[in-house]
PDB file of all heavy atoms in Angstrom:
ATOM      1  N   TYR A 574     103.393 109.758 101.527  1.00 95.00           N
ATOM      2  CA  TYR A 574     102.726 108.841 102.448  1.00 95.00           C
ATOM      3  C   TYR A 574     101.852 107.897 101.631  1.00 95.00           C
ATOM      4  O   TYR A 574     101.129 108.329 100.731  1.00 95.00           O
ATOM      5  CB  TYR A 574     101.851 109.640 103.410  1.00 95.00           C
ATOM      6  CG  TYR A 574     101.048 108.797 104.369  1.00 95.00           C
ATOM      7  CD1 TYR A 574     101.602 108.339 105.554  1.00 95.00           C
ATOM      8  CD2 TYR A 574      99.733 108.445 104.080  1.00 95.00           C
ATOM      9  CE1 TYR A 574     100.873 107.559 106.424  1.00 95.00           C
ATOM     10  CE2 TYR A 574      98.990 107.659 104.950  1.00 95.00           C
ATOM     11  CZ  TYR A 574      99.563 107.227 106.127  1.00 95.00           C
ATOM     12  OH  TYR A 574      98.845 106.451 106.992  1.00 95.00           O
ATOM     13  N   ALA A 575     101.902 106.622 101.942  1.00 95.00           N
ATOM     14  CA  ALA A 575     101.018 105.637 101.326  1.00 95.00           C
ATOM     15  C   ALA A 575     100.760 104.545 102.348  1.00 95.00           C
ATOM     16  O   ALA A 575     101.686 104.035 102.980  1.00 95.00           O
ATOM     17  CB  ALA A 575     101.646 105.053 100.065  1.00 95.00           C
ATOM     18  N   SER A 576      99.491 104.201 102.532  1.00 93.00           N
ATOM     19  CA  SER A 576      99.142 103.211 103.537  1.00 93.00           C
ATOM     20  C   SER A 576      97.903 102.430 103.122  1.00 93.00           C
ATOM     21  O   SER A 576      96.921 103.009 102.673  1.00 93.00           O
ATOM     22  CB  SER A 576      98.881 103.910 104.875  1.00 93.00           C
ATOM     23  OG  SER A 576      98.463 102.978 105.841  1.00 93.00           O
ATOM     24  N   GLY A 577      97.975 101.155 103.299  1.00 90.00           N
ATOM     25  CA  GLY A 577      96.799 100.309 103.155  1.00 90.00           C
ATOM     26  C   GLY A 577      96.197 100.164 104.543  1.00 90.00           C
ATOM     27  O   GLY A 577      96.920  99.959 105.518  1.00 90.00           O
ATOM     28  N   LEU A 578      94.909 100.344 104.660  1.00 80.00           N
ATOM     29  CA  LEU A 578      94.261 100.294 105.966  1.00 80.00           C
ATOM     30  C   LEU A 578      93.393  99.055 106.094  1.00 80.00           C
ATOM     31  O   LEU A 578      92.790  98.602 105.136  1.00 80.00           O
ATOM     32  CB  LEU A 578      93.394 101.545 106.173  1.00 80.00           C
ATOM     33  CG  LEU A 578      94.137 102.873 106.124  1.00 80.00           C
ATOM     34  CD1 LEU A 578      93.143 104.020 106.193  1.00 80.00           C
ATOM     35  CD2 LEU A 578      95.131 102.974 107.257  1.00 80.00           C
ATOM     36  N   ARG A 579      93.313  98.546 107.311  1.00 74.00           N
ATOM     37  CA  ARG A 579      92.438  97.425 107.602  1.00 74.00           C
ATOM     38  C   ARG A 579      91.235  97.994 108.344  1.00 74.00           C
ATOM     39  O   ARG A 579      91.343  98.418 109.489  1.00 74.00           O
ATOM     40  CB  ARG A 579      93.173  96.416 108.497  1.00 74.00           C
ATOM     41  CG  ARG A 579      92.636  95.023 108.402  1.00 74.00           C
ATOM     42  CD  ARG A 579      93.411  94.131 109.338  1.00 74.00           C
ATOM     43  NE  ARG A 579      94.763  93.900 108.832  1.00 74.00           N
ATOM     44  CZ  ARG A 579      95.330  92.706 108.795  1.00 74.00           C
ATOM     45  NH1 ARG A 579      94.699  91.651 109.235  1.00 74.00           N
ATOM     46  NH2 ARG A 579      96.533  92.561 108.339  1.00 74.00           N
ATOM     47  N   TRP A 580      90.108  98.093 107.653  1.00 67.00           N
ATOM     48  CA  TRP A 580      88.915  98.647 108.283  1.00 67.00           C
ATOM     49  C   TRP A 580      87.673  98.094 107.613  1.00 67.00           C
ATOM     50  O   TRP A 580      87.741  97.536 106.533  1.00 67.00           O
ATOM     51  CB  TRP A 580      88.934 100.164 108.258  1.00 67.00           C
ATOM     52  CG  TRP A 580      88.864 100.780 106.880  1.00 67.00           C
ATOM     53  CD1 TRP A 580      89.634 100.494 105.800  1.00 67.00           C
ATOM     54  CD2 TRP A 580      87.958 101.781 106.449  1.00 67.00           C
ATOM     55  NE1 TRP A 580      89.282 101.253 104.733  1.00 67.00           N
ATOM     56  CE2 TRP A 580      88.253 102.058 105.100  1.00 67.00           C
ATOM     57  CE3 TRP A 580      86.930 102.489 107.054  1.00 67.00           C
ATOM     58  CZ2 TRP A 580      87.548 102.997 104.355  1.00 67.00           C
ATOM     59  CZ3 TRP A 580      86.250 103.424 106.309  1.00 67.00           C
ATOM     60  CH2 TRP A 580      86.550 103.668 104.986  1.00 67.00           C
ATOM     61  N   THR A 581      86.548  98.257 108.223  1.00 58.00           N
ATOM     62  CA  THR A 581      85.313  97.692 107.682  1.00 58.00           C
ATOM     63  C   THR A 581      84.565  98.678 106.788  1.00 58.00           C
ATOM     64  O   THR A 581      83.541  98.340 106.225  1.00 58.00           O
ATOM     65  CB  THR A 581      84.368  97.260 108.833  1.00 58.00           C
ATOM     66  OG1 THR A 581      84.087  98.403 109.628  1.00 58.00           O
ATOM     67  CG2 THR A 581      84.996  96.160 109.651  1.00 58.00           C
ATOM     68  N   GLY A 582      85.073  99.894 106.638  1.00 61.00           N
ATOM     69  CA  GLY A 582      84.379 100.905 105.847  1.00 61.00           C
ATOM     70  C   GLY A 582      84.567 100.771 104.351  1.00 61.00           C
ATOM     71  O   GLY A 582      83.921 101.449 103.577  1.00 61.00           O
ATOM     72  N   GLY A 583      85.447  99.930 103.904  1.00 68.00           N
ATOM     73  CA  GLY A 583      85.675  99.768 102.469  1.00 68.00           C
ATOM     74  C   GLY A 583      86.668  98.655 102.216  1.00 68.00           C
ATOM     75  O   GLY A 583      87.340  98.182 103.112  1.00 68.00           O
ATOM     76  N   CYS A 584      86.731  98.238 100.985  1.00 79.00           N
ATOM     77  CA  CYS A 584      87.628  97.139 100.620  1.00 79.00           C
ATOM     78  C   CYS A 584      88.889  97.663  99.949  1.00 79.00           C
ATOM     79  O   CYS A 584      88.832  98.549  99.096  1.00 79.00           O
ATOM     80  CB  CYS A 584      86.922  96.200  99.661  1.00 79.00           C
ATOM     81  SG  CYS A 584      85.496  95.393 100.389  1.00 79.00           S
ATOM     82  N   LEU A 585      90.027  97.125 100.342  1.00 89.00           N
ATOM     83  CA  LEU A 585      91.318  97.396  99.729  1.00 89.00           C
ATOM     84  C   LEU A 585      91.655  98.880  99.604  1.00 89.00           C
ATOM     85  O   LEU A 585      92.099  99.349  98.568  1.00 89.00           O
ATOM     86  CB  LEU A 585      91.377  96.743  98.343  1.00 89.00           C
ATOM     87  CG  LEU A 585      91.168  95.232  98.315  1.00 89.00           C
ATOM     88  CD1 LEU A 585      91.001  94.752  96.883  1.00 89.00           C
ATOM     89  CD2 LEU A 585      92.311  94.504  98.989  1.00 89.00           C
ATOM     90  N   PRO A 586      91.476  99.687 100.654  1.00 91.00           N
ATOM     91  CA  PRO A 586      91.747 101.122 100.524  1.00 91.00           C
ATOM     92  C   PRO A 586      93.241 101.454 100.528  1.00 91.00           C
ATOM     93  O   PRO A 586      94.042 100.788 101.165  1.00 91.00           O
ATOM     94  CB  PRO A 586      91.073 101.715 101.753  1.00 91.00           C
ATOM     95  CG  PRO A 586      91.141 100.625 102.762  1.00 91.00           C
ATOM     96  CD  PRO A 586      90.989  99.345 101.980  1.00 91.00           C
ATOM     97  N   LEU A 587      93.577 102.481  99.793  1.00 92.00           N
ATOM     98  CA  LEU A 587      94.916 103.050  99.772  1.00 92.00           C
ATOM     99  C   LEU A 587      94.767 104.537 100.092  1.00 92.00           C
ATOM    100  O   LEU A 587      94.080 105.260  99.372  1.00 92.00           O
ATOM    101  CB  LEU A 587      95.567 102.908  98.398  1.00 92.00           C
ATOM    102  CG  LEU A 587      96.815 103.783  98.151  1.00 92.00           C
ATOM    103  CD1 LEU A 587      97.977 103.330  99.037  1.00 92.00           C
ATOM    104  CD2 LEU A 587      97.211 103.768  96.694  1.00 92.00           C
ATOM    105  N   THR A 588      95.383 104.975 101.169  1.00 93.00           N
ATOM    106  CA  THR A 588      95.447 106.406 101.464  1.00 93.00           C
ATOM    107  C   THR A 588      96.818 106.871 101.018  1.00 93.00           C
ATOM    108  O   THR A 588      97.838 106.261 101.373  1.00 93.00           O
ATOM    109  CB  THR A 588      95.248 106.670 102.968  1.00 93.00           C
ATOM    110  OG1 THR A 588      93.973 106.153 103.342  1.00 93.00           O
ATOM    111  CG2 THR A 588      95.311 108.142 103.279  1.00 93.00           C
ATOM    112  N   ILE A 589      96.841 107.943 100.213  1.00 95.00           N
ATOM    113  CA  ILE A 589      98.110 108.391  99.640  1.00 95.00           C
ATOM    114  C   ILE A 589      98.228 109.907  99.706  1.00 95.00           C
ATOM    115  O   ILE A 589      97.248 110.629  99.538  1.00 95.00           O
ATOM    116  CB  ILE A 589      98.263 107.880  98.183  1.00 95.00           C
ATOM    117  CG1 ILE A 589      99.658 108.183  97.645  1.00 95.00           C
ATOM    118  CG2 ILE A 589      97.169 108.424  97.282  1.00 95.00           C
ATOM    119  CD1 ILE A 589     100.005 107.393  96.393  1.00 95.00           C
ATOM    120  N   GLY A 590      99.449 110.356  99.989  1.00 96.00           N
ATOM    121  CA  GLY A 590      99.781 111.778  99.965  1.00 96.00           C
ATOM    122  C   GLY A 590     100.940 111.975  99.007  1.00 96.00           C
ATOM    123  O   GLY A 590     101.955 111.294  99.103  1.00 96.00           O
ATOM    124  N   ILE A 591     100.775 112.894  98.061  1.00 97.00           N
ATOM    125  CA  ILE A 591     101.782 113.136  97.028  1.00 97.00           C
ATOM    126  C   ILE A 591     102.226 114.599  97.102  1.00 97.00           C
ATOM    127  O   ILE A 591     101.384 115.502  97.093  1.00 97.00           O
ATOM    128  CB  ILE A 591     101.205 112.840  95.624  1.00 97.00           C
ATOM    129  CG1 ILE A 591     100.689 111.409  95.558  1.00 97.00           C
ATOM    130  CG2 ILE A 591     102.246 113.105  94.546  1.00 97.00           C
ATOM    131  CD1 ILE A 591      99.833 111.118  94.342  1.00 97.00           C
ATOM    132  N   GLN A 592     103.520 114.818  97.178  1.00 95.00           N
ATOM    133  CA  GLN A 592     104.038 116.186  97.187  1.00 95.00           C
ATOM    134  C   GLN A 592     103.732 116.843  95.851  1.00 95.00           C
ATOM    135  O   GLN A 592     103.969 116.256  94.788  1.00 95.00           O
ATOM    136  CB  GLN A 592     105.544 116.175  97.421  1.00 95.00           C
ATOM    137  CG  GLN A 592     106.154 117.550  97.508  1.00 95.00           C
ATOM    138  CD  GLN A 592     107.633 117.485  97.854  1.00 95.00           C
ATOM    139  OE1 GLN A 592     108.100 116.520  98.448  1.00 95.00           O
ATOM    140  NE2 GLN A 592     108.359 118.502  97.474  1.00 95.00           N
ATOM    141  N   ARG A 593     103.190 118.060  95.892  1.00 93.00           N
ATOM    142  CA  ARG A 593     102.868 118.780  94.663  1.00 93.00           C
ATOM    143  C   ARG A 593     104.131 119.019  93.852  1.00 93.00           C
ATOM    144  O   ARG A 593     105.199 119.232  94.389  1.00 93.00           O
ATOM    145  CB  ARG A 593     102.205 120.111  95.004  1.00 93.00           C
ATOM    146  CG  ARG A 593     100.890 119.926  95.721  1.00 93.00           C
ATOM    147  CD  ARG A 593     100.344 121.221  96.243  1.00 93.00           C
ATOM    148  NE  ARG A 593      99.781 121.986  95.117  1.00 93.00           N
ATOM    149  CZ  ARG A 593      99.583 123.290  95.149  1.00 93.00           C
ATOM    150  NH1 ARG A 593      99.903 123.992  96.210  1.00 93.00           N
ATOM    151  NH2 ARG A 593      99.057 123.894  94.113  1.00 93.00           N
ATOM    152  N   THR A 594     103.994 119.003  92.538  1.00 94.00           N
ATOM    153  CA  THR A 594     105.129 119.220  91.652  1.00 94.00           C
ATOM    154  C   THR A 594     104.853 120.416  90.744  1.00 94.00           C
ATOM    155  O   THR A 594     103.863 121.113  90.923  1.00 94.00           O
ATOM    156  CB  THR A 594     105.439 117.932  90.857  1.00 94.00           C
ATOM    157  OG1 THR A 594     106.692 118.091  90.197  1.00 94.00           O
ATOM    158  CG2 THR A 594     104.368 117.593  89.852  1.00 94.00           C
ATOM    159  N   THR A 595     105.702 120.659  89.775  1.00 93.00           N
ATOM    160  CA  THR A 595     105.561 121.816  88.900  1.00 93.00           C
ATOM    161  C   THR A 595     105.614 121.418  87.424  1.00 93.00           C
ATOM    162  O   THR A 595     106.071 120.329  87.081  1.00 93.00           O
ATOM    163  CB  THR A 595     106.671 122.849  89.172  1.00 93.00           C
ATOM    164  OG1 THR A 595     107.942 122.207  88.973  1.00 93.00           O
ATOM    165  CG2 THR A 595     106.587 123.387  90.584  1.00 93.00           C
ATOM    166  N   ASP A 596     105.164 122.355  86.583  1.00 94.00           N
ATOM    167  CA  ASP A 596     105.181 122.161  85.135  1.00 94.00           C
ATOM    168  C   ASP A 596     105.538 123.494  84.483  1.00 94.00           C
ATOM    169  O   ASP A 596     105.342 124.557  85.082  1.00 94.00           O
ATOM    170  CB  ASP A 596     103.801 121.687  84.654  1.00 94.00           C
ATOM    171  CG  ASP A 596     103.783 121.399  83.167  1.00 94.00           C
ATOM    172  OD1 ASP A 596     104.558 120.540  82.727  1.00 94.00           O
ATOM    173  OD2 ASP A 596     103.009 122.041  82.437  1.00 94.00           O
ATOM    174  N   ASN A 597     106.020 123.450  83.262  1.00 95.00           N
ATOM    175  CA  ASN A 597     106.420 124.677  82.560  1.00 95.00           C
ATOM    176  C   ASN A 597     105.237 125.517  82.089  1.00 95.00           C
ATOM    177  O   ASN A 597     105.376 126.720  81.892  1.00 95.00           O
ATOM    178  CB  ASN A 597     107.310 124.334  81.359  1.00 95.00           C
ATOM    179  CG  ASN A 597     106.528 123.620  80.276  1.00 95.00           C
ATOM    180  OD1 ASN A 597     105.738 122.720  80.541  1.00 95.00           O
ATOM    181  ND2 ASN A 597     106.764 123.998  79.031  1.00 95.00           N
ATOM    182  N   ALA A 598     104.066 124.924  81.899  1.00 95.00           N
ATOM    183  CA  ALA A 598     102.933 125.669  81.348  1.00 95.00           C
ATOM    184  C   ALA A 598     101.660 125.545  82.178  1.00 95.00           C
ATOM    185  O   ALA A 598     100.907 126.495  82.292  1.00 95.00           O
ATOM    186  CB  ALA A 598     102.656 125.206  79.919  1.00 95.00           C
ATOM    187  N   THR A 599     101.408 124.378  82.745  1.00 93.00           N
ATOM    188  CA  THR A 599     100.190 124.157  83.523  1.00 93.00           C
ATOM    189  C   THR A 599     100.398 124.645  84.953  1.00 93.00           C
ATOM    190  O   THR A 599     101.386 124.283  85.575  1.00 93.00           O
ATOM    191  CB  THR A 599      99.825 122.663  83.537  1.00 93.00           C
ATOM    192  OG1 THR A 599      99.682 122.213  82.186  1.00 93.00           O
ATOM    193  CG2 THR A 599      98.537 122.404  84.297  1.00 93.00           C
ATOM    194  N   PRO A 600      99.467 125.449  85.471  1.00 93.00           N
ATOM    195  CA  PRO A 600      99.601 125.879  86.872  1.00 93.00           C
ATOM    196  C   PRO A 600      99.621 124.668  87.814  1.00 93.00           C
ATOM    197  O   PRO A 600      98.971 123.653  87.551  1.00 93.00           O
ATOM    198  CB  PRO A 600      98.346 126.723  87.118  1.00 93.00           C
ATOM    199  CG  PRO A 600      97.853 127.094  85.768  1.00 93.00           C
ATOM    200  CD  PRO A 600      98.282 126.007  84.839  1.00 93.00           C
ATOM    201  N   GLN A 601     100.371 124.791  88.885  1.00 91.00           N
ATOM    202  CA  GLN A 601     100.539 123.698  89.838  1.00 91.00           C
ATOM    203  C   GLN A 601      99.194 123.145  90.310  1.00 91.00           C
ATOM    204  O   GLN A 601      99.005 121.939  90.416  1.00 91.00           O
ATOM    205  CB  GLN A 601     101.365 124.186  91.017  1.00 91.00           C
ATOM    206  CG  GLN A 601     101.813 123.096  91.950  1.00 91.00           C
ATOM    207  CD  GLN A 601     102.703 123.647  93.055  1.00 91.00           C
ATOM    208  OE1 GLN A 601     102.439 124.697  93.617  1.00 91.00           O
ATOM    209  NE2 GLN A 601     103.765 122.931  93.355  1.00 91.00           N
ATOM    210  N   SER A 602      98.245 124.020  90.570  1.00 91.00           N
ATOM    211  CA  SER A 602      96.952 123.577  91.086  1.00 91.00           C
ATOM    212  C   SER A 602      96.075 122.908  90.031  1.00 91.00           C
ATOM    213  O   SER A 602      95.019 122.394  90.352  1.00 91.00           O
ATOM    214  CB  SER A 602      96.199 124.754  91.701  1.00 91.00           C
ATOM    215  OG  SER A 602      95.945 125.729  90.704  1.00 91.00           O
ATOM    216  N   ALA A 603      96.512 122.887  88.770  1.00 93.00           N
ATOM    217  CA  ALA A 603      95.740 122.256  87.704  1.00 93.00           C
ATOM    218  C   ALA A 603      96.315 120.903  87.272  1.00 93.00           C
ATOM    219  O   ALA A 603      95.786 120.259  86.380  1.00 93.00           O
ATOM    220  CB  ALA A 603      95.644 123.193  86.501  1.00 93.00           C
ATOM    221  N   LEU A 604      97.399 120.471  87.907  1.00 95.00           N
ATOM    222  CA  LEU A 604      97.977 119.174  87.572  1.00 95.00           C
ATOM    223  C   LEU A 604      97.111 118.042  88.128  1.00 95.00           C
ATOM    224  O   LEU A 604      96.447 118.188  89.138  1.00 95.00           O
ATOM    225  CB  LEU A 604      99.401 119.055  88.134  1.00 95.00           C
ATOM    226  CG  LEU A 604     100.441 119.993  87.513  1.00 95.00           C
ATOM    227  CD1 LEU A 604     101.735 119.916  88.284  1.00 95.00           C
ATOM    228  CD2 LEU A 604     100.664 119.665  86.047  1.00 95.00           C
ATOM    229  N   ILE A 605      97.155 116.909  87.459  1.00 97.00           N
ATOM    230  CA  ILE A 605      96.465 115.693  87.883  1.00 97.00           C
ATOM    231  C   ILE A 605      97.541 114.673  88.235  1.00 97.00           C
ATOM    232  O   ILE A 605      98.597 114.613  87.606  1.00 97.00           O
ATOM    233  CB  ILE A 605      95.580 115.140  86.736  1.00 97.00           C
ATOM    234  CG1 ILE A 605      94.542 116.167  86.302  1.00 97.00           C
ATOM    235  CG2 ILE A 605      94.932 113.822  87.127  1.00 97.00           C
ATOM    236  CD1 ILE A 605      93.522 116.499  87.351  1.00 97.00           C
ATOM    237  N   TYR A 606      97.260 113.839  89.236  1.00 97.00           N
ATOM    238  CA  TYR A 606      98.231 112.826  89.670  1.00 97.00           C
ATOM    239  C   TYR A 606      97.624 111.445  89.493  1.00 97.00           C
ATOM    240  O   TYR A 606      96.640 111.101  90.152  1.00 97.00           O
ATOM    241  CB  TYR A 606      98.631 113.068  91.131  1.00 97.00           C
ATOM    242  CG  TYR A 606      99.358 114.377  91.294  1.00 97.00           C
ATOM    243  CD1 TYR A 606      98.665 115.567  91.468  1.00 97.00           C
ATOM    244  CD2 TYR A 606     100.741 114.433  91.219  1.00 97.00           C
ATOM    245  CE1 TYR A 606      99.330 116.780  91.579  1.00 97.00           C
ATOM    246  CE2 TYR A 606     101.412 115.633  91.331  1.00 97.00           C
ATOM    247  CZ  TYR A 606     100.698 116.801  91.512  1.00 97.00           C
ATOM    248  OH  TYR A 606     101.362 117.999  91.619  1.00 97.00           O
ATOM    249  N   GLU A 607      98.203 110.659  88.582  1.00 98.00           N
ATOM    250  CA  GLU A 607      97.768 109.277  88.381  1.00 98.00           C
ATOM    251  C   GLU A 607      98.514 108.396  89.378  1.00 98.00           C
ATOM    252  O   GLU A 607      99.716 108.567  89.577  1.00 98.00           O
ATOM    253  CB  GLU A 607      98.077 108.812  86.964  1.00 98.00           C
ATOM    254  CG  GLU A 607      97.305 109.558  85.904  1.00 98.00           C
ATOM    255  CD  GLU A 607      97.640 109.088  84.505  1.00 98.00           C
ATOM    256  OE1 GLU A 607      98.807 108.730  84.233  1.00 98.00           O
ATOM    257  OE2 GLU A 607      96.725 109.089  83.676  1.00 98.00           O
ATOM    258  N   VAL A 608      97.791 107.461  89.989  1.00 98.00           N
ATOM    259  CA  VAL A 608      98.382 106.585  91.005  1.00 98.00           C
ATOM    260  C   VAL A 608      98.350 105.148  90.477  1.00 98.00           C
ATOM    261  O   VAL A 608      97.333 104.688  89.939  1.00 98.00           O
ATOM    262  CB  VAL A 608      97.612 106.696  92.331  1.00 98.00           C
ATOM    263  CG1 VAL A 608      98.199 105.747  93.367  1.00 98.00           C
ATOM    264  CG2 VAL A 608      97.645 108.145  92.833  1.00 98.00           C
ATOM    265  N   PHE A 609      99.473 104.436  90.670  1.00 98.00           N
ATOM    266  CA  PHE A 609      99.631 103.070  90.173  1.00 98.00           C
ATOM    267  C   PHE A 609     100.051 102.136  91.305  1.00 98.00           C
ATOM    268  O   PHE A 609     100.785 102.541  92.207  1.00 98.00           O
ATOM    269  CB  PHE A 609     100.706 103.018  89.085  1.00 98.00           C
ATOM    270  CG  PHE A 609     100.408 103.888  87.900  1.00 98.00           C
ATOM    271  CD1 PHE A 609     100.756 105.231  87.896  1.00 98.00           C
ATOM    272  CD2 PHE A 609      99.780 103.362  86.786  1.00 98.00           C
ATOM    273  CE1 PHE A 609     100.484 106.043  86.814  1.00 98.00           C
ATOM    274  CE2 PHE A 609      99.494 104.169  85.688  1.00 98.00           C
ATOM    275  CZ  PHE A 609      99.844 105.506  85.703  1.00 98.00           C
ATOM    276  N   ALA A 610      99.598 100.893  91.240  1.00 97.00           N
ATOM    277  CA  ALA A 610     100.062  99.837  92.142  1.00 97.00           C
ATOM    278  C   ALA A 610     100.530  98.679  91.271  1.00 97.00           C
ATOM    279  O   ALA A 610      99.752  98.135  90.480  1.00 97.00           O
ATOM    280  CB  ALA A 610      98.938  99.388  93.075  1.00 97.00           C
ATOM    281  N   ASP A 611     101.801  98.351  91.388  1.00 97.00           N
ATOM    282  CA  ASP A 611     102.416  97.320  90.533  1.00 97.00           C
ATOM    283  C   ASP A 611     102.139  97.585  89.060  1.00 97.00           C
ATOM    284  O   ASP A 611     101.874  96.673  88.272  1.00 97.00           O
ATOM    285  CB  ASP A 611     101.941  95.918  90.931  1.00 97.00           C
ATOM    286  CG  ASP A 611     102.525  95.458  92.251  1.00 97.00           C
ATOM    287  OD1 ASP A 611     103.526  96.046  92.712  1.00 97.00           O
ATOM    288  OD2 ASP A 611     101.972  94.507  92.834  1.00 97.00           O
ATOM    289  N   GLY A 612     102.157  98.866  88.668  1.00 96.00           N
ATOM    290  CA  GLY A 612     101.968  99.246  87.272  1.00 96.00           C
ATOM    291  C   GLY A 612     100.522  99.356  86.819  1.00 96.00           C
ATOM    292  O   GLY A 612     100.264  99.769  85.700  1.00 96.00           O
TER     293      GLY A 612
END
Side-chain angles (χ1 to χ4, degrees):
Y574 177 84
S576 176
L578 300 174
R579 204 181 288 226
W580 65 309
T581 59
C584 296
L585 302 170
L587 165 67
T588 301
I589 188 164
I591 303 167
Q592 183 175 335
R593 297 171 76 201
T594 191
T595 58
D596 183 59
N597 69 316
T599 303
Q601 190 177 42
S602 62
L604 293 172
I605 301 295
Y606 295 85
E607 295 179 325
V608 178
F609 300 86
D611 288 343

